[in-house]
Amino acid sequence: MDTLNHTHDPAALSWVPGAQGHQDFPLQNLPVAVFRRQGEEEAFRGGMAIGDQIVDLAALSSARLLTGEAQHACELAARPRLNALMAAGQPAWRALRHGVFDLLSSHARETTQASVRACLVPQQQATYGLPSRIGDYTDFYTSIHHARNVGRVIRPDDPLTPNFVWLPIAYHGRASSVVISGTPFKRPNGQAFPPGARAPVFTPSTRLDYELEMGFYIGPGNAQGNPVPLAQAEKQIFGMCLLNDWSARDHQFWEMAPLGPFLGKNFCTSVSPWVVMMEALAPFRAPVADRLAPEPQPLPYLEHPVHRAAGGVDVQLTVSIDTEATRASGAKPSQVSRTSFRHQYWTVAQMVTQHTVGGCNLQSGDLIGTGTISGPTPGEEGAIVELSRGGTAPITLSATGEQRSFLHDGDTVILRGWCERQGAARIGFGTCEGRVLPASGPTA
Ligand code: MN
């Protein structure tokens, strides 16, 4: 696990205007994305956020202001996808983050500042790409509060399946339909079995939902047959992002037994452009959430003292909904939930270990979703199916007074994430946004 060092010092200052006190991207964060200028036929390349600017890592690599391992990592980050940087491992990620930190620090020489200034691109001018070529995407189900809330909708007598407290549950998702934040998608068509009907119908989803999740990208990866022990698991995690696992609940609940989610999930998954490296999250690590009797302690392969003390991450998360009426009125999107990732029952390290314990090989650039993040109290639900109690209790949007049981066409869902703690600089993940477009017409 990463330890605290000078890059976490809340007193560290940058010469870049607006970086100090930036709500997401002060000097202490330096997350990575893939970007290019809007409207330009440029190649995508890696960039690091500082304030409202991006350090163009291709330009920085050509400027040769970094040396050694940091320069090598910067060259890998100049490519259109970051798989090679992810494969290079923790020492390379740390060298790059520390090297760029020094260049952006107010202690950097005037001549250095001038050279780096020439590598800055305003975030307003940027369009983003997927950070990696995602070979495989797996989505977990690791919030006990979400599992209980959804379980009550599907199985009121027995909401939590017995395996939940013993292992991090997941399904293998679809990498091809992962999109970068800001990409709209069509409401999916599919089979549903409405309550009281005598046969299934083919219909645009009438129970379209979002899922508030975080995601993480795999670093070096492991060879097939070589599981990753829990104590080594975080070396496999390049960094974390925001993730929305859009879900068609009517399609999902009809098709899901006995093999798990399929079309109810595979039409679209959105990710934030910015990936926050694990090192930047070091000040915000938290103990693993307590197992309260009768919940069992994890089996030994999912347990380690260091992990137990700091395997969690305290990331504040919100969900907001922007509707056509909200936009027409000029009002701000309505916030519908707020929670923290620290409530998660299973940690990112346990997800890596569980994924590989049978011999499965993870590869650089693979995307892992944490599962919907819901907290213990009302208002902390990470999906609208939970907020609306399975659609029976519509929520009211604060901006317009509109009601929602599920998402309407034109709705945009906005996820936000940030970390704050006394004695540390606040850092953030930016946003993950996506808009629902009308379904395609009936097919012949
Ligand atoms: Mn999910």
Side-chain angles (χ1 to χ4, degrees), residues 6-7 27 32 106 124 238 260 302 307 352 383 396 417:
H6 70 283
T7 68
L27 183 60
V32 184
S106 53
Q124 272 191 331
F238 172 72
L302 290 171
H307 171 267
V352 168
T396 301

PDB file of all heavy atoms in Angstrom, residues 6-7 27 32 106 124 238 260 302 307 352 383 396 417:
ATOM      1  N   HIS A   6       5.969  13.535   0.170  1.00  0.00           N
ATOM      2  CA  HIS A   6       5.867  14.991  -0.039  1.00  0.00           C
ATOM      3  C   HIS A   6       4.780  15.359  -1.065  1.00  0.00           C
ATOM      4  O   HIS A   6       4.291  16.485  -1.059  1.00  0.00           O
ATOM      5  CB  HIS A   6       7.221  15.561  -0.470  1.00  0.00           C
ATOM      6  CG  HIS A   6       7.631  15.160  -1.854  1.00  0.00           C
ATOM      7  ND1 HIS A   6       8.132  13.916  -2.158  1.00  0.00           N
ATOM      8  CD2 HIS A   6       7.590  15.839  -3.020  1.00  0.00           C
ATOM      9  CE1 HIS A   6       8.391  13.850  -3.450  1.00  0.00           C
ATOM     10  NE2 HIS A   6       8.068  15.005  -4.001  1.00  0.00           N
ATOM     11  N   THR A   7       4.363  14.413  -1.930  1.00  0.00           N
ATOM     12  CA  THR A   7       3.324  14.747  -2.920  1.00  0.00           C
ATOM     13  C   THR A   7       1.946  14.872  -2.276  1.00  0.00           C
ATOM     14  O   THR A   7       0.995  15.306  -2.935  1.00  0.00           O
ATOM     15  CB  THR A   7       3.259  13.703  -4.049  1.00  0.00           C
ATOM     16  OG1 THR A   7       2.778  12.451  -3.524  1.00  0.00           O
ATOM     17  CG2 THR A   7       4.607  13.499  -4.717  1.00  0.00           C
ATOM     18  N   LEU A  27      -2.331  20.211  -7.023  1.00  0.00           N
ATOM     19  CA  LEU A  27      -1.034  19.556  -7.262  1.00  0.00           C
ATOM     20  C   LEU A  27      -0.962  18.156  -6.633  1.00  0.00           C
ATOM     21  O   LEU A  27      -0.253  17.283  -7.129  1.00  0.00           O
ATOM     22  CB  LEU A  27       0.073  20.458  -6.688  1.00  0.00           C
ATOM     23  CG  LEU A  27       1.521  20.018  -6.872  1.00  0.00           C
ATOM     24  CD1 LEU A  27       1.863  19.904  -8.361  1.00  0.00           C
ATOM     25  CD2 LEU A  27       2.461  21.013  -6.179  1.00  0.00           C
ATOM     26  N   VAL A  32      -4.686  10.905 -14.481  1.00  0.00           N
ATOM     27  CA  VAL A  32      -4.312  10.710 -15.876  1.00  0.00           C
ATOM     28  C   VAL A  32      -5.566  10.468 -16.723  1.00  0.00           C
ATOM     29  O   VAL A  32      -6.507   9.809 -16.281  1.00  0.00           O
ATOM     30  CB  VAL A  32      -3.367   9.494 -15.999  1.00  0.00           C
ATOM     31  CG1 VAL A  32      -2.876   9.331 -17.426  1.00  0.00           C
ATOM     32  CG2 VAL A  32      -2.187   9.647 -15.058  1.00  0.00           C
ATOM     33  N   SER A 106       5.747  25.056  -7.169  1.00  0.00           N
ATOM     34  CA  SER A 106       6.190  26.459  -7.162  1.00  0.00           C
ATOM     35  C   SER A 106       7.692  26.560  -6.937  1.00  0.00           C
ATOM     36  O   SER A 106       8.276  27.623  -7.130  1.00  0.00           O
ATOM     37  CB  SER A 106       5.425  27.238  -6.082  1.00  0.00           C
ATOM     38  OG  SER A 106       5.546  26.580  -4.850  1.00  0.00           O
ATOM     39  N   GLN A 124     -11.088  22.926 -21.092  1.00  0.00           N
ATOM     40  CA  GLN A 124     -12.245  23.353 -21.895  1.00  0.00           C
ATOM     41  C   GLN A 124     -12.079  23.023 -23.368  1.00  0.00           C
ATOM     42  O   GLN A 124     -13.062  22.875 -24.080  1.00  0.00           O
ATOM     43  CB  GLN A 124     -12.439  24.860 -21.752  1.00  0.00           C
ATOM     44  CG  GLN A 124     -13.307  25.245 -20.586  1.00  0.00           C
ATOM     45  CD  GLN A 124     -13.690  26.716 -20.641  1.00  0.00           C
ATOM     46  OE1 GLN A 124     -12.940  27.530 -21.186  1.00  0.00           O
ATOM     47  NE2 GLN A 124     -14.838  27.055 -20.086  1.00  0.00           N
ATOM     48  N   PHE A 238      -3.801   0.256 -11.217  1.00  0.00           N
ATOM     49  CA  PHE A 238      -3.210   1.499 -11.713  1.00  0.00           C
ATOM     50  C   PHE A 238      -3.868   2.701 -11.066  1.00  0.00           C
ATOM     51  O   PHE A 238      -3.203   3.643 -10.632  1.00  0.00           O
ATOM     52  CB  PHE A 238      -3.359   1.557 -13.232  1.00  0.00           C
ATOM     53  CG  PHE A 238      -2.967   2.879 -13.827  1.00  0.00           C
ATOM     54  CD1 PHE A 238      -1.638   3.260 -13.899  1.00  0.00           C
ATOM     55  CD2 PHE A 238      -3.936   3.757 -14.317  1.00  0.00           C
ATOM     56  CE1 PHE A 238      -1.270   4.487 -14.436  1.00  0.00           C
ATOM     57  CE2 PHE A 238      -3.579   4.982 -14.853  1.00  0.00           C
ATOM     58  CZ  PHE A 238      -2.238   5.350 -14.914  1.00  0.00           C
ATOM     59  N   GLY A 260     -27.061 -15.065 -14.601  1.00  0.00           N
ATOM     60  CA  GLY A 260     -26.570 -13.715 -14.317  1.00  0.00           C
ATOM     61  C   GLY A 260     -26.962 -12.719 -15.384  1.00  0.00           C
ATOM     62  O   GLY A 260     -27.583 -13.060 -16.384  1.00  0.00           O
ATOM     63  N   LEU A 302      -8.590 -14.100   1.826  1.00  0.00           N
ATOM     64  CA  LEU A 302      -9.163 -12.766   1.638  1.00  0.00           C
ATOM     65  C   LEU A 302      -8.893 -11.854   2.839  1.00  0.00           C
ATOM     66  O   LEU A 302      -9.570 -10.851   3.044  1.00  0.00           O
ATOM     67  CB  LEU A 302     -10.672 -12.872   1.398  1.00  0.00           C
ATOM     68  CG  LEU A 302     -11.091 -13.476   0.056  1.00  0.00           C
ATOM     69  CD1 LEU A 302     -12.592 -13.744   0.025  1.00  0.00           C
ATOM     70  CD2 LEU A 302     -10.692 -12.570  -1.109  1.00  0.00           C
ATOM     71  N   HIS A 307      -4.211  -4.965   5.148  1.00  0.00           N
ATOM     72  CA  HIS A 307      -5.433  -4.750   4.377  1.00  0.00           C
ATOM     73  C   HIS A 307      -6.598  -4.396   5.289  1.00  0.00           C
ATOM     74  O   HIS A 307      -7.364  -3.473   5.019  1.00  0.00           O
ATOM     75  CB  HIS A 307      -5.734  -6.007   3.562  1.00  0.00           C
ATOM     76  CG  HIS A 307      -7.074  -5.966   2.903  1.00  0.00           C
ATOM     77  ND1 HIS A 307      -8.204  -6.492   3.498  1.00  0.00           N
ATOM     78  CD2 HIS A 307      -7.472  -5.432   1.727  1.00  0.00           C
ATOM     79  CE1 HIS A 307      -9.233  -6.289   2.693  1.00  0.00           C
ATOM     80  NE2 HIS A 307      -8.828  -5.661   1.624  1.00  0.00           N
ATOM     81  N   VAL A 352      -9.490  -8.076  -6.654  1.00  0.00           N
ATOM     82  CA  VAL A 352      -8.388  -8.583  -7.489  1.00  0.00           C
ATOM     83  C   VAL A 352      -8.050 -10.020  -7.091  1.00  0.00           C
ATOM     84  O   VAL A 352      -7.897 -10.906  -7.934  1.00  0.00           O
ATOM     85  CB  VAL A 352      -7.140  -7.673  -7.360  1.00  0.00           C
ATOM     86  CG1 VAL A 352      -5.912  -8.334  -7.981  1.00  0.00           C
ATOM     87  CG2 VAL A 352      -7.402  -6.318  -8.002  1.00  0.00           C
ATOM     88  N   ALA A 383     -28.700   3.510  -6.767  1.00  0.00           N
ATOM     89  CA  ALA A 383     -29.483   3.222  -7.977  1.00  0.00           C
ATOM     90  C   ALA A 383     -30.906   3.687  -7.754  1.00  0.00           C
ATOM     91  O   ALA A 383     -31.387   3.725  -6.613  1.00  0.00           O
ATOM     92  CB  ALA A 383     -29.466   1.728  -8.294  1.00  0.00           C
ATOM     93  N   THR A 396     -38.953  12.704  -6.029  1.00  0.00           N
ATOM     94  CA  THR A 396     -39.214  14.033  -6.578  1.00  0.00           C
ATOM     95  C   THR A 396     -37.877  14.745  -6.788  1.00  0.00           C
ATOM     96  O   THR A 396     -37.039  14.780  -5.883  1.00  0.00           O
ATOM     97  CB  THR A 396     -40.090  14.847  -5.601  1.00  0.00           C
ATOM     98  OG1 THR A 396     -41.312  14.126  -5.406  1.00  0.00           O
ATOM     99  CG2 THR A 396     -40.399  16.224  -6.170  1.00  0.00           C
ATOM    100  N   GLY A 417     -17.222  12.412  -7.652  1.00  0.00           N
ATOM    101  CA  GLY A 417     -16.500  11.780  -6.558  1.00  0.00           C
ATOM    102  C   GLY A 417     -15.360  12.661  -6.105  1.00  0.00           C
ATOM    103  O   GLY A 417     -14.723  13.325  -6.931  1.00  0.00           O
TER     104      GLY A 417
END
